[in-house]
Amino acid sequence: MGGTPTKGKTPNWTRLNEYNAWKDYVRESVSGPLPAPTQAAPVRVDVWCYFQNGTHNDPENVRKGIVDALFPAGDKYVYGYHHFPQYDAKNPRVELSISQGAM
């Protein structure tokens, strides 16, 4: 979802609630504890998006939304990669690789 859902003359609370529910879903989908990103030990998040068809979101924006969900305290020391779009009509999904260490 792009843009800030509560800005403007009439805030879109429905959109904000949907976005917050999606971020909760992302956090619940990751097993185990996440490493805390620091300057000495940044966290790398790589993303592979498998879309159902050619009508889809930008993989870079998908990655950024996932990073925002997983690191709500800040992602200053989070970096990573997003693969070009992949397609799987029967099993659309997003796969993550999360690791910590110096770049």
Side-chain angles (χ1 to χ4, degrees), residues 11-65:
N12 187 340
W13 298 111
T14 300
R15 186 172 172 189
L16 175 64
N17 291 336
E18 289 172 351
Y19 184 58
N20 286 334
W22 177 81
K23 290 192 302 185
D24 290 341
Y25 171 76
V26 169
R27 285 188 286 271
E28 292 166 3
S29 298
V30 174
S31 61
L34 290 170
T38 65
Q39 185 175 10
V43 173
R44 180 174 179 159
V45 178
D46 296 333
V47 175
W48 291 263
C49 297
Y50 294 83
F51 297 106
Q52 188 171 20
N53 56 46
T55 303
H56 57 74
N57 296 331
D58 178 347
E60 184 173 6
N61 291 341
V62 173
R63 183 192 170 281
K64 181 60 177 154

